[in-house]
Amino acid sequence: MKKTKHQSLWITFFVLPGLLIVLVFIVAPLFMSMYNSMFSWKSIARDQFVGMENFHKIFNQYPYKDRFFNAMGNNIQWFLSTMLIQNSLGILFGYLLYKKIAGSAVYQRVFFIPVLFSIVAVGFLWSLYMNPNMGIINRFLKDVGLQSWTRAWLGDEALATPSIIAVNIWRWVGFPTLVFYAGFNAVPEEVVEASYLDGIGEGRLFTHIMIPLIMPSIMVITVLTLIGSLNVFEQIYTMAGLEGGPYYSTDTLGTLFYRTAFGAVDSGLPEVGIGSAIAVVIYVLTFFFSALSIISFKGKEVEL
Amino acid sequence: MIGQLKFRGASILQKTLIIIFQIMLISYAILIFYPLLNMIISSFKTSREIFKTPYAMPEKWLFSNYVEVWGEGGFGRYFFNSIYVTGISIGIVLLLGSMAAFGICRYDYKLSTFIYLAFLAGIMLPLKAAIIPLFMLVRNLGLMDNPLALILIFTAMSMPSTVFILTGFMKTIPHDLEDSGRIDGANEWMVYRQIIMPLTAPSIALVTIYNAVPVWNDFFFPLVFIQSNKLKTLPLGMSVFFGQYQISWHLLFASLSIAILPMLILYLFLSKYFIKGMTAGALK
């Protein structure tokens, strides 16, 4: 149908309100963050243009540098353990559901339940359970005679991050399970049938045929895990506090960014320039790694 | 279907494997269910009972814990604030998002791809990282401590995925339908409202579920934008409550149950759609 001036008006009418909201509340703030990161600030007013100095501080100057790399290390730990534990479990569970193992309909639904809960509620629930004196985890260990296994789960510098990550895995496993389940189901039945006719074993079918064929799902999950790991905030806030306690051992870019931007902890004052620089780093990392994983998986997709 | 895991007729090795897998799955199911069950049971006990007999049923079921949390704890108010903010945000998202999807994919013009990409840009952007400019924007608009700030941001947050999913769906509707409508004298709004929207209904359900969960559960934006206690949403109210009531474990468990139970109950009724919606949304 030929477009008339009359129709252009209609298109504008349909598209513009939604577009405005996205431009004002998502796109513009992105560019504003970049702009803000190049200024020094007096409280919450732009002061002087300083170019890359804020970035230089994050990477080189005490205490920003120490906090930044410490937080970054924790974000990397989040990403790696999520990929390794949560997503491997997701692939295994997804495959078993696809194979219609007895009870699969029930498992599928049960595993997904915690995904719907607020991170805040889940965080608080587990911090009660992980309480060293009164929590049910230590209580249970004592009752079954494993007294020596009891720990201050969230109070121990070495254990706090793994404990919080474990809770997060508890919450999320149902999600990759479901995505991989759908991915396996999208594999054409003829392919599976032909493989069986060629006498392929179950193990090789899984590793040589099914895994390559669900690469698109693996890519989606990898990117989502990445974005999720860079944005960890609520879990830390509810289970370890805004400082990423004890002694910054659970600090992430998310909590560090919030503290820097709103001055809740370190110096007590908002450092908007530094905070914006951290935000820009988060943006760049998100874009870079998302693009990288999309490109690197592109060649591995199997054409059918 | 081919290659189903059946216990009967399997070799010894396969049987062992199936048993191991079943043990894993059952353990994980227990790991999910038990903490929730324990939370609900504990919410009816006294604090003393929670410590003395953590696994047992309550001696007396104390509904008073809930009454206290709902009233004095403020959870009734937080709950309705959450319903209000989520309801309006999702309502606006569905209206503006479906209009945008319609405007993008039902007409033939050069800019449409560009506009579509502008909407999609938001999918991967971590909106939390934009909090400083958002904070200043909201302050300049005079919307600090106003639910409208949350509504606008939640709308923006949900818009990309909404446009994405609805555009994908609307593309599949044949053009003949709307053209015959136009011949009968319908204007573009009527085509959108009376022809396309009714056909889009199934994916509207999907989008509603897909977006309502993160909006209902969001903690970060209320934390930044809401100060007065009477405007707090459920996740934010809960965090305040936790700071104040660290000693009253029975109230803490009751408050967690109030935060989690509505989703659990909703899920029991709608699990089929939740599952379908989440997979479809994640796979595209």
Side-chain angles (χ1 to χ4, degrees):
Chain A
M1 183 183 281
K2 209 172 168 297
K3 189 179 60 136
T4 57
K5 192 180 172 205
H6 173 70
Q7 264 195 345
S8 304
L9 281 177
W10 274 111
I11 294 171
T12 315
F13 164 74
F14 281 122
V15 173
L16 198 62
L19 193 61
L20 271 180
I21 289 187
V22 169
L23 290 179
V24 172
F25 288 95
I26 300 183
V27 179
L30 164 75
F31 288 104
M32 279 311 285
S33 299
M34 295 180 185
Y35 184 67
N36 288 342
S37 70
M38 289 184 280
F39 282 83
S40 68
W41 289 70
K42 277 191 176 150
S43 168
I44 47 171
R46 263 187 295 273
D47 192 25
Q48 275 174 337
F49 181 81
V50 294
M52 289 288 124
E53 200 186 302
N54 289 326
F55 291 94
H56 187 262
K57 275 186 185 165
I58 298 177
F59 292 115
N60 298 299
Q61 188 183 318
Y62 181 84
Y64 308 109
K65 176 190 159 191
D66 304 60
R67 298 274 180 278
F68 178 81
F69 285 106
N70 169 50
M72 186 76 194
N74 282 331
N75 283 101
I76 294 171
Q77 198 181 339
W78 271 84
F79 175 70
L80 292 179
S81 28
T82 310
M83 281 306 284
L84 217 66
I85 302 171
Q86 173 181 303
N87 296 345
S88 310
L89 278 179
I91 287 200
L92 176 66
F93 290 165
Y95 195 61
L96 292 173
L97 297 186
Y98 162 75
K99 283 287 198 175
K100 300 264 181 301
I101 196 166
S104 52
V106 178
Y107 295 129
Q108 185 183 5
R109 283 171 171 71
V110 171
F111 291 176
F112 197 69
I113 289 175
V115 177
L116 300 165
F117 299 153
S118 83
I119 307 176
V120 181
V122 170
F124 282 137
L125 178 63
W126 281 97
S127 62
L128 288 182
Y129 287 152
M130 285 177 173
N131 184 299
N133 306 315
M134 301 177 274
I136 200 169
I137 295 181
N138 279 353
R139 170 65 189 258
F140 177 78
L141 291 171
K142 272 177 209 158
D143 288 349
V144 295
L146 294 170
Q147 176 86 38
S148 61
W149 288 21
T150 57
R151 294 283 182 282
W153 302 101
L154 298 170
D156 182 317
E157 275 182 61
L159 271 176
T161 296
S163 301
I164 300 176
I165 292 177
V167 170
N168 207 50
I169 291 175
W170 177 84
R171 174 168 189 260
W172 276 110
V173 160
F175 187 73
T177 300
L178 215 60
V179 173
F180 290 128
Y181 169 71
F184 286 122
N185 272 317
V187 172
E189 235 172 272
E190 308 90 69
V191 176
V192 184
E193 226 165 307
S195 314
Y196 277 127
L197 286 177
D198 289 343
I200 198 171
E202 284 288 343
R204 274 172 59 91
L205 174 78
F206 179 72
T207 52
H208 285 64
I209 310 281
M210 299 310 268
I211 293 290
L213 283 174
I214 60 154
M215 271 304 158
S217 312
I218 297 182
M219 189 199 81
V220 168
I221 289 292
T222 307
V223 174
L224 290 179
T225 305
L226 216 126
I227 297 174
S229 312
L230 282 169
N231 277 289
V232 176
F233 176 81
E234 286 90 342
Q235 297 92 318
I236 312 291
Y237 185 95
T238 50
M239 300 185 73
L242 206 43
E243 305 86 8
Y247 303 110
Y248 305 109
S249 61
T250 59
D251 206 10
T252 59
L253 290 181
T255 43
L256 178 66
F257 164 63
Y258 187 91
R259 284 206 312 275
T260 321
F262 293 102
V265 186
D266 283 316
S267 65
L269 292 168
E271 295 181 271
V272 179
I274 307 266
S276 302
I278 298 177
V280 172
V281 172
I282 296 177
Y283 276 133
V284 171
L285 289 174
T286 309
F287 275 126
F288 177 75
F289 285 113
S290 306
L292 189 75
S293 41
I294 289 167
I295 291 165
S296 64
F297 276 99
K298 202 118 217 175
K300 298 204 178 66
E301 274 176 39
V302 181
E303 295 285 333
L304 284 172
Chain B
M1 211 217 294
I2 251 187
Q4 290 191 1
L5 279 182
K6 287 232 177 71
F7 195 70
R8 199 175 296 169
S11 67
I12 302 271
L13 178 72
Q14 280 172 328
K15 277 185 182 165
T16 330
L17 264 178
I18 291 177
I19 291 173
I20 292 174
F21 286 145
Q22 278 293 359
I23 292 175
M24 278 184 75
L25 290 164
I26 292 173
S27 317
Y28 206 83
I30 293 173
L31 199 61
I32 299 251
F33 250 125
Y34 186 73
L36 300 176
L37 192 69
N38 188 277
M39 169 193 80
I40 294 168
I41 292 172
S42 302
S43 70
F44 291 103
K45 293 179 174 177
T46 61
S47 276
R48 211 178 116 81
E49 254 186 297
I50 294 174
F51 306 129
K52 268 185 77 184
T53 52
Y55 324 112
M57 286 290 162
E59 265 169 50
K60 237 183 89 192
W61 294 76
L62 292 175
F63 287 90
S64 55
N65 292 345
Y66 282 87
V67 176
E68 193 170 344
V69 170
W70 189 261
E72 282 166 57
F75 271 65
R77 196 167 48 225
Y78 304 145
F79 192 83
F80 286 109
N81 287 341
S82 275
I83 289 186
Y84 171 75
V85 170
T86 310
I88 295 189
S89 309
I90 297 299
I92 298 176
V93 162
L94 291 181
L95 176 68
L96 299 187
S98 64
M99 280 168 61
F102 179 79
I104 286 169
C105 77
R106 303 307 289 182
Y107 299 98
D108 195 16
Y109 59 104
K110 277 197 192 117
L111 264 180
S112 72
T113 314
F114 182 75
I115 295 174
Y116 182 56
L117 287 177
F119 275 108
L120 286 206
I123 279 191
M124 277 193 185
L125 280 180
L127 197 55
K128 265 186 236 165
I131 194 64
I132 300 171
L134 280 175
F135 180 83
M136 290 168 177
L137 179 67
V138 166
R139 204 193 41 187
N140 292 341
L141 290 171
L143 292 177
M144 284 308 284
D145 205 24
N146 184 334
L148 189 57
L150 294 181
I151 290 170
L152 286 168
I153 286 172
F154 287 149
T155 306
M157 187 171 95
S158 315
M159 198 61 87
S161 60
T162 305
V163 170
F164 183 56
I165 295 171
L166 292 184
T167 310
F169 189 84
M170 280 187 195
K171 268 185 197 152
T172 64
I173 301 172
H175 275 275
D176 303 350
L177 282 172
E178 53 187 287
D179 286 343
S180 64
R182 289 198 181 96
I183 290 165
D184 289 343
N187 67 22
E188 302 305 310
W189 175 258
M190 287 152 82
V191 170
Y192 157 80
R193 183 70 196 84
Q194 288 163 11
I195 299 173
I196 301 296
M197 281 317 279
L199 292 169
T200 312
S203 53
I204 292 284
L206 189 162
V207 172
T208 307
I209 292 166
Y210 189 81
N211 286 315
V213 174
V215 168
W216 173 268
N217 287 334
D218 189 78
F219 168 70
F220 188 77
F221 294 108
L223 174 69
V224 176
F225 294 122
I226 298 297
Q227 280 116 35
S228 24
N229 195 38
K230 65 176 200 298
L231 294 176
K232 285 184 171 121
T233 56
L234 196 53
L236 183 60
M238 193 168 31
S239 79
V240 176
F241 189 80
F242 256 74
Q244 286 168 352
Y245 290 81
Q246 278 296 357
I247 327 137
S248 323
W249 279 47
H250 57 296
L251 297 183
L252 296 183
F253 276 113
S255 75
L256 286 168
S257 303
I258 290 181
I260 282 175
L261 272 176
M263 277 291 166
L264 196 60
I265 292 165
L266 192 68
Y267 180 71
L268 290 179
F269 286 109
L270 294 175
S271 61
K272 217 173 89 185
Y273 300 99
F274 267 116
I275 302 255
K276 267 194 189 152
M278 288 318 234
T279 31
L283 275 182
K284 274 176 189 160

